[in-house]
Amino acid sequence: MIIKKPKLSFWQILNMNVGFFGIQYSFGLQQSAVTPIYDFLGASPDQIPILHLAGPVTGLLVQPIIGALSDKTWSPKFGRRKPFFLIGAILCSLTLLAFPFSSSLWMAAGLLWVLDAGNNTAMEPYRALIADKLDDEQQPLGFQMQSFFTGLGQVLANLSLFIFPLIFIGMTGSLPTWVYASFFLGAFCSIASILWSISKTKEIPPTEEELAKLKSEKRSVLGPLLEIFGAIKDMPKVMWQLALVYLFQWYALFCYWQNSSKSVALSVWNATPDNKEAYSEAVSWTGLVNGWYNVVTFLVAFALVGFAKKYSAKKVHAFCLLIAAIGFLAFPHIENKNLLFFAITGFGIGWASMMGIPYLMVVSEIPKERYGVYMGIINMMIVVPMILQTLSFGFILKHFLNNDPRQAITFAGVLLIISAILTLFIKSKKFSGDIASVPSSAH
């Protein structure tokens, strides 16, 4: 028996995704603040990639397992996906409160593992919730709404890195005082935004047949892992094609996030982390630059839905990747700090596509009863390249790129060009989502 999903208003879809804002505020801090914290605590350039291993490894382990568990979960009181949102948000908030008190490099690295576990626990069910709640026509809007909140959350996270150093001056312990303010605000945003979405969103209950099937299935510790392996075995071809695109795409992004502050410090200030005053200024400016690319992301997120409908999702994604690549190739050669905003605009357009458009290529070919586990597997496609990057890029940076963060950004641009070309070879169904419900003020 197929039950028609009710149409949701624009504001219902927005409220459903507000919690994504808190998750992405936290990710914004990870992208822009964690590497400088490692630098302040004495990390060498070739140590940075391995210190970021927490994100991809926890994503690889946590998201598909949480997805499989949430597929098999139903509580009349708490729902299917919402309990995982809440657990992840609580864990994330507590870790953000503790992070600024890191007294050593390895304490900060350890807390990053916990922080990423919390973020991944909350994020994966959010992707599945869109597929659960929205029909084929409204799913594009739902996924791009998450792209919108990705931009908004990361804008505010990066703005805090620019504004708070002007307000909270000096050092507290081993770290600048502004780190405490940024991470404390992140802790509040994480839990508050999730609580808002939970209070405003009701999940669709399973049918009697689905509920009976859930109750009849045997539960075991190995059950989620067996479900993951079974889903990979049955994975549609389009997901394998997307995995190849993601290999180059996400390797490139990790190269950028790990090296952007040091690249700006060298190209604009001619400074290294040893010059703490100049480097702090570079970190602050990079926060503003990264905030701008996220402004671009939430400005163009909804417009990309219309382009994907008209020209196909893969063509839109390939074009956006190419624009991002051009920005990366220009970025390390810019000596005027104000011109960095023009270069990073390309990445903002690419980031808007990365956060939503690829899901439109695959969601129609995923069985609805396995939305959770397949969204987790898509995340595995993201984190495997990141793991490869953390394990290999330190060697590449040291032996082939002269430990120069500017060359790391150029390397990322080349990888994005490769991923754009590979995107054009993806064979996926063209969706026909209705975007009439998107208000003009959202563009």
Side-chain angles (χ1 to χ4, degrees):
M1 179 181 178
I2 298 175
I3 297 178
K4 186 175 177 62
K5 298 175 183 178
K7 293 284 186 183
L8 301 187
S9 70
F10 175 84
W11 297 109
Q12 286 175 313
I13 297 174
L14 184 144
N15 282 327
M16 182 172 68
N17 285 293
V18 165
F20 216 70
F21 162 78
I23 297 170
Q24 293 302 323
Y25 188 108
S26 176
F27 273 118
L29 289 178
Q30 288 178 237
Q31 291 168 8
S32 297
V34 169
T35 293
I37 288 173
Y38 286 157
D39 290 330
F40 286 126
L41 293 173
S44 62
D46 53 282
Q47 283 182 306
I48 296 298
I50 198 70
L51 288 169
H52 281 276
L53 189 60
V57 170
T58 54
L60 180 67
L61 298 175
V62 172
Q63 285 212 26
I65 291 175
I66 293 298
L69 287 173
S70 65
D71 282 342
K72 307 296 183 183
T73 297
W74 176 254
S75 164
K77 184 176 181 180
F78 299 107
R80 169 172 284 157
R81 315 293 183 186
K82 292 195 291 185
F84 297 96
F85 301 167
L86 185 58
I87 293 168
I90 291 171
L91 187 59
C92 181
S93 294
L94 292 175
T95 311
L96 286 169
L97 290 173
F99 209 100
F101 296 97
S102 299
S103 57
S104 67
L105 185 60
W106 297 109
M107 180 179 175
L111 285 171
L112 184 60
W113 282 83
V114 182
L115 179 61
D116 263 304
N119 273 328
N120 281 300
T121 299
M123 178 179 284
E124 192 287 327
Y126 244 121
R127 298 293 193 194
L129 182 67
I130 296 299
D132 287 343
K133 288 277 290 180
L134 303 179
D135 62 18
D136 291 345
E137 290 185 351
Q138 291 196 308
Q139 281 175 0
L141 176 59
F143 285 123
Q144 286 307 108
M145 184 70 76
Q146 291 188 350
S147 182
F148 170 83
F149 279 116
T150 295
L152 183 61
Q154 294 188 14
V155 163
L156 295 184
N158 283 290
L159 280 178
S160 76
L161 303 188
F162 178 76
I163 295 172
F164 286 172
L166 304 177
I167 302 171
F168 304 100
I169 300 170
M171 302 287 288
T172 301
S174 303
L175 297 173
T177 305
W178 60 262
V179 172
Y180 292 78
S182 294
F183 277 73
F184 289 172
L185 179 59
F188 171 78
C189 290
S190 180
I191 190 67
S193 62
I194 288 287
L195 288 174
W196 177 274
S197 286
I198 287 175
S199 67
K200 298 291 183 179
T201 304
K202 291 184 178 180
E203 295 192 63
I204 299 174
T207 63
E208 291 185 9
E209 292 83 357
E210 291 171 335
L211 196 57
K213 185 178 178 181
L214 285 176
K215 290 179 178 179
S216 66
E217 290 180 348
K218 294 181 179 180
R219 305 296 174 93
S220 69
V221 176
L222 296 177
L225 293 176
L226 295 174
E227 176 66 18
I228 293 166
F229 288 128
I232 292 174
K233 177 177 174 290
D234 299 334
M235 199 161 73
K237 182 179 179 180
V238 66
M239 289 185 66
W240 289 107
Q241 294 172 322
L242 183 62
L244 186 59
V245 171
Y246 273 11
L247 174 63
F248 293 92
Q249 174 183 302
W250 288 98
Y251 196 112
L253 297 198
F254 241 39
C255 291
Y256 172 77
W257 289 325
Q258 291 169 6
N259 292 278
S260 55
S261 293
K262 288 195 284 291
S263 175
V264 171
L266 283 171
S267 64
V268 178
W269 277 270
N270 195 27
T272 66
D274 294 331
N275 184 343
K276 289 194 174 182
E277 184 176 345
Y279 184 57
S280 292
E281 191 174 351
V283 170
S284 177
W285 192 258
T286 305
L288 195 63
V289 170
N290 286 343
W292 171 248
Y293 86 66
N294 284 289
V295 169
V296 174
T297 292
F298 74 74
L299 288 176
V300 305
F302 296 131
L304 293 184
V305 179
F307 288 123
K309 179 182 178 182
K310 185 175 182 180
Y311 299 109
S312 86
K314 74 173 184 180
K315 289 181 181 178
V316 168
H317 190 57
F319 177 78
C320 291
L321 287 175
L322 186 59
I323 293 295
I326 293 170
F328 277 0
L329 292 175
F331 191 88
H333 302 288
I334 294 173
E335 298 179 0
N336 183 325
K337 65 180 183 180
N338 294 307
L339 295 180
L340 291 169
F341 293 100
F342 292 98
I344 209 62
T345 296
F347 181 40
I349 296 170
W351 189 232
S353 180
M354 294 173 200
M355 289 294 96
I357 297 300
Y359 296 92
L360 303 181
M361 300 182 205
V362 300
V363 70
S364 62
E365 300 191 36
I366 297 174
K368 74 180 187 68
E369 67 275 8
R370 302 177 93 174
Y371 279 152
V373 68
Y374 273 119
M375 292 300 168
I377 290 171
I378 291 174
N379 190 69
M380 291 173 69
M381 299 175 188
I382 294 172
V383 299
V384 167
M386 290 181 174
I387 292 172
L388 293 175
Q389 194 272 355
T390 59
L391 295 176
S392 65
F393 192 66
F395 180 85
I396 293 171
L397 185 63
K398 184 175 182 179
H399 295 281
F400 296 98
L401 303 178
N402 198 31
N403 259 347
D404 189 333
R406 293 167 296 186
Q407 293 190 40
I409 307 297
T410 300
F411 185 72
V414 173
L415 294 182
L416 285 185
I417 291 174
I418 296 172
S419 64
I421 294 170
L422 291 172
T423 300
L424 295 174
F425 289 94
I426 292 178
K427 294 182 179 179
S428 61
K429 297 176 183 176
K430 187 175 180 180
F431 77 94
S432 56
D434 181 8
I435 60 168
S437 58
V438 182
S440 59
S441 60
H443 290 271

Short mmCIF file of all heavy atoms in Angstrom, two decimals, residues 177-224:
data_model
loop_
_atom_site.label_atom_id
_atom_site.label_comp_id
_atom_site.label_asym_id
_atom_site.label_seq_id
_atom_site.Cartn_x
_atom_site.Cartn_y
_atom_site.Cartn_z
N THR A 177 41.33 34.30 23.31
CA THR A 177 40.04 34.35 24.00
C THR A 177 38.86 34.24 23.03
O THR A 177 37.80 33.71 23.38
CB THR A 177 39.94 35.67 24.79
OG1 THR A 177 41.07 35.78 25.66
CG2 THR A 177 38.68 35.73 25.62
N TRP A 178 39.05 34.71 21.78
CA TRP A 178 37.94 34.64 20.84
C TRP A 178 37.52 33.21 20.52
O TRP A 178 36.37 32.95 20.14
CB TRP A 178 38.28 35.37 19.52
CG TRP A 178 39.46 34.86 18.76
CD1 TRP A 178 40.71 35.36 18.77
CD2 TRP A 178 39.49 33.73 17.85
NE1 TRP A 178 41.55 34.63 17.94
CE2 TRP A 178 40.82 33.64 17.36
CE3 TRP A 178 38.54 32.82 17.41
CZ2 TRP A 178 41.21 32.65 16.45
CZ3 TRP A 178 38.93 31.84 16.51
CH2 TRP A 178 40.25 31.76 16.04
N VAL A 179 38.44 32.25 20.68
CA VAL A 179 38.10 30.84 20.45
C VAL A 179 36.99 30.40 21.40
O VAL A 179 36.04 29.71 21.01
CB VAL A 179 39.35 29.94 20.62
CG1 VAL A 179 38.96 28.47 20.58
CG2 VAL A 179 40.38 30.26 19.55
N TYR A 180 37.08 30.83 22.66
CA TYR A 180 36.06 30.47 23.65
C TYR A 180 34.70 31.00 23.23
O TYR A 180 33.69 30.28 23.27
CB TYR A 180 36.45 31.03 25.02
CG TYR A 180 37.66 30.38 25.64
CD1 TYR A 180 38.95 30.71 25.23
CD2 TYR A 180 37.53 29.43 26.64
CE1 TYR A 180 40.07 30.11 25.79
CE2 TYR A 180 38.65 28.82 27.22
CZ TYR A 180 39.91 29.17 26.78
OH TYR A 180 41.01 28.57 27.34
N ALA A 181 34.65 32.27 22.82
CA ALA A 181 33.37 32.88 22.44
C ALA A 181 32.75 32.17 21.24
O ALA A 181 31.54 31.88 21.23
CB ALA A 181 33.58 34.36 22.14
N SER A 182 33.57 31.88 20.22
CA SER A 182 33.05 31.23 19.01
C SER A 182 32.49 29.85 19.31
O SER A 182 31.41 29.48 18.83
CB SER A 182 34.16 31.13 17.96
OG SER A 182 34.55 32.40 17.51
N PHE A 183 33.23 29.07 20.11
CA PHE A 183 32.80 27.71 20.38
C PHE A 183 31.61 27.67 21.35
O PHE A 183 30.74 26.80 21.24
CB PHE A 183 33.97 26.88 20.91
CG PHE A 183 34.86 26.34 19.80
CD1 PHE A 183 35.70 27.18 19.10
CD2 PHE A 183 34.82 25.00 19.46
CE1 PHE A 183 36.51 26.70 18.07
CE2 PHE A 183 35.62 24.50 18.42
CZ PHE A 183 36.46 25.35 17.73
N PHE A 184 31.54 28.60 22.28
CA PHE A 184 30.38 28.64 23.19
C PHE A 184 29.11 28.99 22.41
O PHE A 184 28.04 28.43 22.65
CB PHE A 184 30.62 29.66 24.31
CG PHE A 184 31.66 29.25 25.31
CD1 PHE A 184 32.09 30.14 26.29
CD2 PHE A 184 32.21 27.97 25.29
CE1 PHE A 184 33.06 29.76 27.21
CE2 PHE A 184 33.17 27.58 26.21
CZ PHE A 184 33.60 28.48 27.17
N LEU A 185 29.22 29.94 21.46
CA LEU A 185 28.06 30.27 20.63
C LEU A 185 27.66 29.07 19.78
O LEU A 185 26.46 28.79 19.61
CB LEU A 185 28.39 31.47 19.73
CG LEU A 185 27.27 31.91 18.78
CD1 LEU A 185 26.01 32.28 19.55
CD2 LEU A 185 27.74 33.10 17.92
N GLY A 186 28.65 28.32 19.27
CA GLY A 186 28.35 27.12 18.50
C GLY A 186 27.60 26.09 19.31
O GLY A 186 26.69 25.42 18.81
N ALA A 187 27.97 25.94 20.60
CA ALA A 187 27.29 24.98 21.48
C ALA A 187 25.82 25.35 21.63
O ALA A 187 24.93 24.47 21.58
CB ALA A 187 27.97 24.96 22.84
N PHE A 188 25.54 26.64 21.79
CA PHE A 188 24.14 27.08 21.92
C PHE A 188 23.36 26.84 20.62
O PHE A 188 22.25 26.32 20.64
CB PHE A 188 24.09 28.57 22.29
CG PHE A 188 22.71 29.15 22.23
CD1 PHE A 188 21.79 28.92 23.25
CD2 PHE A 188 22.31 29.91 21.13
CE1 PHE A 188 20.50 29.44 23.19
CE2 PHE A 188 21.03 30.44 21.06
CZ PHE A 188 20.12 30.19 22.09
N CYS A 189 23.96 27.23 19.48
CA CYS A 189 23.27 27.07 18.19
C CYS A 189 22.96 25.61 17.89
O CYS A 189 21.90 25.28 17.35
CB CYS A 189 24.12 27.66 17.07
SG CYS A 189 24.24 29.45 17.10
N SER A 190 23.87 24.72 18.25
CA SER A 190 23.70 23.31 17.94
C SER A 190 22.46 22.74 18.61
O SER A 190 21.60 22.15 17.96
CB SER A 190 24.95 22.53 18.39
OG SER A 190 24.79 21.15 18.11
N ILE A 191 22.33 22.94 19.90
CA ILE A 191 21.20 22.33 20.62
C ILE A 191 19.91 23.10 20.38
O ILE A 191 18.84 22.51 20.22
CB ILE A 191 21.52 22.21 22.13
CG1 ILE A 191 20.46 21.36 22.82
CG2 ILE A 191 21.64 23.58 22.78
CD1 ILE A 191 20.45 19.91 22.41
N ALA A 192 19.99 24.45 20.31
CA ALA A 192 18.77 25.25 20.17
C ALA A 192 18.10 25.02 18.82
O ALA A 192 16.86 24.89 18.75
CB ALA A 192 19.10 26.73 20.35
N SER A 193 18.88 24.95 17.74
CA SER A 193 18.28 24.77 16.41
C SER A 193 17.66 23.39 16.24
O SER A 193 16.60 23.24 15.62
CB SER A 193 19.32 25.03 15.31
OG SER A 193 20.39 24.12 15.40
N ILE A 194 18.31 22.37 16.81
CA ILE A 194 17.75 21.01 16.75
C ILE A 194 16.44 20.94 17.53
O ILE A 194 15.46 20.34 17.07
CB ILE A 194 18.77 19.99 17.30
CG1 ILE A 194 19.93 19.79 16.31
CG2 ILE A 194 18.09 18.65 17.59
CD1 ILE A 194 19.59 19.02 15.06
N LEU A 195 16.41 21.54 18.69
CA LEU A 195 15.18 21.53 19.50
C LEU A 195 14.04 22.24 18.76
O LEU A 195 12.88 21.83 18.84
CB LEU A 195 15.43 22.20 20.85
CG LEU A 195 16.28 21.39 21.84
CD1 LEU A 195 16.57 22.22 23.09
CD2 LEU A 195 15.58 20.08 22.24
N TRP A 196 14.36 23.31 18.02
CA TRP A 196 13.35 24.01 17.23
C TRP A 196 12.75 23.07 16.17
O TRP A 196 11.53 22.96 16.05
CB TRP A 196 13.96 25.23 16.57
CG TRP A 196 12.99 25.97 15.68
CD1 TRP A 196 12.72 25.73 14.37
CD2 TRP A 196 12.15 27.07 16.07
NE1 TRP A 196 11.77 26.60 13.89
CE2 TRP A 196 11.40 27.43 14.91
CE3 TRP A 196 11.96 27.78 17.25
CZ2 TRP A 196 10.48 28.48 14.93
CZ3 TRP A 196 11.05 28.82 17.26
CH2 TRP A 196 10.31 29.15 16.12
N SER A 197 13.59 22.40 15.42
CA SER A 197 13.09 21.51 14.36
C SER A 197 12.29 20.35 14.93
O SER A 197 11.26 19.96 14.38
CB SER A 197 14.26 20.97 13.53
OG SER A 197 14.78 21.97 12.69
N ILE A 198 12.77 19.78 16.04
CA ILE A 198 12.06 18.67 16.66
C ILE A 198 10.66 19.09 17.09
O ILE A 198 9.68 18.37 16.91
CB ILE A 198 12.86 18.13 17.86
CG1 ILE A 198 14.08 17.35 17.36
CG2 ILE A 198 12.00 17.23 18.75
CD1 ILE A 198 15.01 16.88 18.46
N SER A 199 10.55 20.32 17.64
CA SER A 199 9.26 20.79 18.13
C SER A 199 8.29 21.14 17.01
O SER A 199 7.07 21.12 17.20
CB SER A 199 9.45 22.01 19.05
OG SER A 199 9.93 23.13 18.31
N LYS A 200 8.82 21.46 15.82
CA LYS A 200 7.99 21.92 14.71
C LYS A 200 7.68 20.85 13.67
O LYS A 200 6.91 21.09 12.75
CB LYS A 200 8.68 23.10 14.00
CG LYS A 200 8.89 24.34 14.86
CD LYS A 200 7.58 25.02 15.20
CE LYS A 200 7.81 26.31 15.99
NZ LYS A 200 6.54 26.99 16.30
N THR A 201 8.28 19.66 13.82
CA THR A 201 8.18 18.64 12.77
C THR A 201 7.61 17.34 13.30
O THR A 201 8.07 16.82 14.32
CB THR A 201 9.57 18.37 12.16
OG1 THR A 201 10.12 19.59 11.67
CG2 THR A 201 9.48 17.37 11.01
N LYS A 202 6.62 16.83 12.62
CA LYS A 202 6.08 15.51 12.93
C LYS A 202 6.50 14.54 11.83
O LYS A 202 6.38 14.86 10.64
CB LYS A 202 4.54 15.55 13.01
CG LYS A 202 4.01 16.32 14.22
CD LYS A 202 2.49 16.24 14.29
CE LYS A 202 1.96 16.96 15.53
NZ LYS A 202 0.47 16.91 15.61
N GLU A 203 6.98 13.39 12.23
CA GLU A 203 7.38 12.39 11.25
C GLU A 203 6.17 11.57 10.79
O GLU A 203 5.18 11.44 11.51
CB GLU A 203 8.45 11.47 11.84
CG GLU A 203 9.75 12.22 12.16
CD GLU A 203 10.89 11.27 12.46
OE1 GLU A 203 11.27 10.50 11.57
OE2 GLU A 203 11.39 11.30 13.60
N ILE A 204 6.27 11.05 9.58
CA ILE A 204 5.20 10.22 9.04
C ILE A 204 5.31 8.83 9.66
O ILE A 204 6.35 8.17 9.52
CB ILE A 204 5.30 10.12 7.50
CG1 ILE A 204 5.16 11.52 6.88
CG2 ILE A 204 4.24 9.18 6.95
CD1 ILE A 204 5.38 11.54 5.38
N PRO A 205 4.27 8.36 10.35
CA PRO A 205 4.36 7.03 10.98
C PRO A 205 4.35 5.92 9.94
O PRO A 205 3.81 6.09 8.84
CB PRO A 205 3.10 6.98 11.86
CG PRO A 205 2.15 7.93 11.22
CD PRO A 205 2.98 9.02 10.62
N PRO A 206 4.95 4.79 10.25
CA PRO A 206 4.92 3.67 9.32
C PRO A 206 3.51 3.09 9.20
O PRO A 206 2.69 3.24 10.12
CB PRO A 206 5.87 2.65 9.97
CG PRO A 206 5.88 3.00 11.42
CD PRO A 206 5.69 4.48 11.50
N THR A 207 3.22 2.44 8.07
CA THR A 207 1.94 1.76 7.93
C THR A 207 1.91 0.54 8.86
O THR A 207 2.94 0.15 9.41
CB THR A 207 1.74 1.30 6.48
OG1 THR A 207 2.77 0.33 6.17
CG2 THR A 207 1.85 2.47 5.51
N GLU A 208 0.75 -0.05 9.00
CA GLU A 208 0.65 -1.24 9.85
C GLU A 208 1.54 -2.36 9.32
O GLU A 208 2.15 -3.09 10.10
CB GLU A 208 -0.82 -1.71 9.90
CG GLU A 208 -1.73 -0.76 10.68
CD GLU A 208 -3.14 -1.31 10.80
OE1 GLU A 208 -3.35 -2.49 10.44
OE2 GLU A 208 -4.03 -0.58 11.27
N GLU A 209 1.62 -2.47 7.99
CA GLU A 209 2.47 -3.51 7.41
C GLU A 209 3.94 -3.24 7.70
O GLU A 209 4.71 -4.14 8.05
CB GLU A 209 2.25 -3.57 5.89
CG GLU A 209 0.87 -4.07 5.47
CD GLU A 209 -0.19 -2.98 5.49
OE1 GLU A 209 0.14 -1.83 5.88
OE2 GLU A 209 -1.34 -3.27 5.11
N GLU A 210 4.35 -1.97 7.55
CA GLU A 210 5.74 -1.61 7.83
C GLU A 210 6.08 -1.80 9.30
O GLU A 210 7.18 -2.27 9.64
CB GLU A 210 6.00 -0.15 7.42
CG GLU A 210 5.97 0.08 5.92
CD GLU A 210 6.01 1.55 5.55
OE1 GLU A 210 5.60 2.39 6.38
OE2 GLU A 210 6.43 1.86 4.41
N LEU A 211 5.14 -1.45 10.17
CA LEU A 211 5.36 -1.59 11.61
C LEU A 211 5.48 -3.07 11.99
O LEU A 211 6.34 -3.45 12.79
CB LEU A 211 4.21 -0.94 12.38
CG LEU A 211 4.45 -0.66 13.87
CD1 LEU A 211 5.67 0.23 14.06
CD2 LEU A 211 3.21 -0.02 14.49
N ALA A 212 4.64 -3.89 11.40
CA ALA A 212 4.70 -5.33 11.67
C ALA A 212 6.03 -5.90 11.20
O ALA A 212 6.64 -6.75 11.88
CB ALA A 212 3.53 -6.04 10.98
N LYS A 213 6.52 -5.42 10.06
CA LYS A 213 7.80 -5.89 9.54
C LYS A 213 8.95 -5.48 10.46
O LYS A 213 9.88 -6.26 10.72
CB LYS A 213 8.03 -5.35 8.13
CG LYS A 213 9.30 -5.88 7.47
CD LYS A 213 9.45 -5.33 6.05
CE LYS A 213 10.75 -5.85 5.42
NZ LYS A 213 10.95 -5.31 4.05
N LEU A 214 8.90 -4.23 10.97
CA LEU A 214 9.92 -3.76 11.90
C LEU A 214 9.97 -4.62 13.16
O LEU A 214 11.04 -4.99 13.65
CB LEU A 214 9.67 -2.29 12.29
CG LEU A 214 10.00 -1.22 11.26
CD1 LEU A 214 9.60 0.16 11.79
CD2 LEU A 214 11.49 -1.22 10.94
N LYS A 215 8.78 -4.95 13.69
CA LYS A 215 8.72 -5.72 14.93
C LYS A 215 9.16 -7.17 14.72
O LYS A 215 9.68 -7.80 15.63
CB LYS A 215 7.29 -5.69 15.48
CG LYS A 215 6.88 -4.32 16.01
CD LYS A 215 5.44 -4.33 16.54
CE LYS A 215 5.05 -2.98 17.11
NZ LYS A 215 3.64 -2.96 17.60
N SER A 216 8.96 -7.67 13.51
CA SER A 216 9.28 -9.08 13.26
C SER A 216 10.76 -9.31 12.97
O SER A 216 11.25 -10.44 13.06
CB SER A 216 8.45 -9.60 12.08
OG SER A 216 8.84 -8.95 10.88
N GLU A 217 11.48 -8.26 12.62
CA GLU A 217 12.88 -8.42 12.25
C GLU A 217 13.74 -8.67 13.49
O GLU A 217 13.57 -8.04 14.53
CB GLU A 217 13.39 -7.18 11.52
CG GLU A 217 12.80 -7.03 10.12
CD GLU A 217 13.32 -5.79 9.41
OE1 GLU A 217 13.94 -4.95 10.09
OE2 GLU A 217 13.09 -5.67 8.20
N LYS A 218 14.66 -9.59 13.34
CA LYS A 218 15.57 -9.91 14.43
C LYS A 218 16.63 -8.82 14.57
O LYS A 218 17.17 -8.34 13.58
CB LYS A 218 16.25 -11.26 14.19
CG LYS A 218 15.29 -12.44 14.22
CD LYS A 218 16.04 -13.76 13.98
CE LYS A 218 15.08 -14.94 14.03
NZ LYS A 218 15.80 -16.23 13.80
N ARG A 219 16.88 -8.42 15.81
CA ARG A 219 17.88 -7.39 16.07
C ARG A 219 19.16 -8.02 16.59
O ARG A 219 19.11 -8.96 17.39
CB ARG A 219 17.36 -6.37 17.09
CG ARG A 219 16.03 -5.73 16.71
CD ARG A 219 16.17 -4.90 15.43
NE ARG A 219 14.89 -4.39 14.97
CZ ARG A 219 14.42 -3.20 15.29
NH1 ARG A 219 15.12 -2.42 16.08
NH2 ARG A 219 13.25 -2.79 14.83
N SER A 220 20.31 -7.52 16.12
CA SER A 220 21.58 -8.01 16.62
C SER A 220 22.61 -6.90 16.53
O SER A 220 22.41 -5.89 15.82
CB SER A 220 22.06 -9.23 15.81
OG SER A 220 22.42 -8.85 14.50
N VAL A 221 23.71 -7.08 17.21
CA VAL A 221 24.78 -6.08 17.18
C VAL A 221 25.32 -5.91 15.77
O VAL A 221 25.67 -4.81 15.33
CB VAL A 221 25.92 -6.48 18.16
CG1 VAL A 221 27.08 -5.50 18.05
CG2 VAL A 221 25.39 -6.55 19.59
N LEU A 222 25.39 -7.03 15.04
CA LEU A 222 25.93 -6.98 13.68
C LEU A 222 24.90 -6.59 12.63
O LEU A 222 25.25 -6.40 11.46
CB LEU A 222 26.53 -8.35 13.32
CG LEU A 222 27.73 -8.82 14.15
CD1 LEU A 222 28.15 -10.22 13.71
CD2 LEU A 222 28.89 -7.85 14.01
N GLY A 223 23.64 -6.45 13.06
CA GLY A 223 22.57 -6.15 12.11
C GLY A 223 22.83 -4.91 11.26
O GLY A 223 22.72 -4.98 10.02
N PRO A 224 23.17 -3.75 11.87
CA PRO A 224 23.42 -2.56 11.05
C PRO A 224 24.57 -2.75 10.06
O PRO A 224 24.50 -2.26 8.92
CB PRO A 224 23.78 -1.49 12.10
CG PRO A 224 23.13 -1.96 13.36
CD PRO A 224 23.20 -3.45 13.30
#
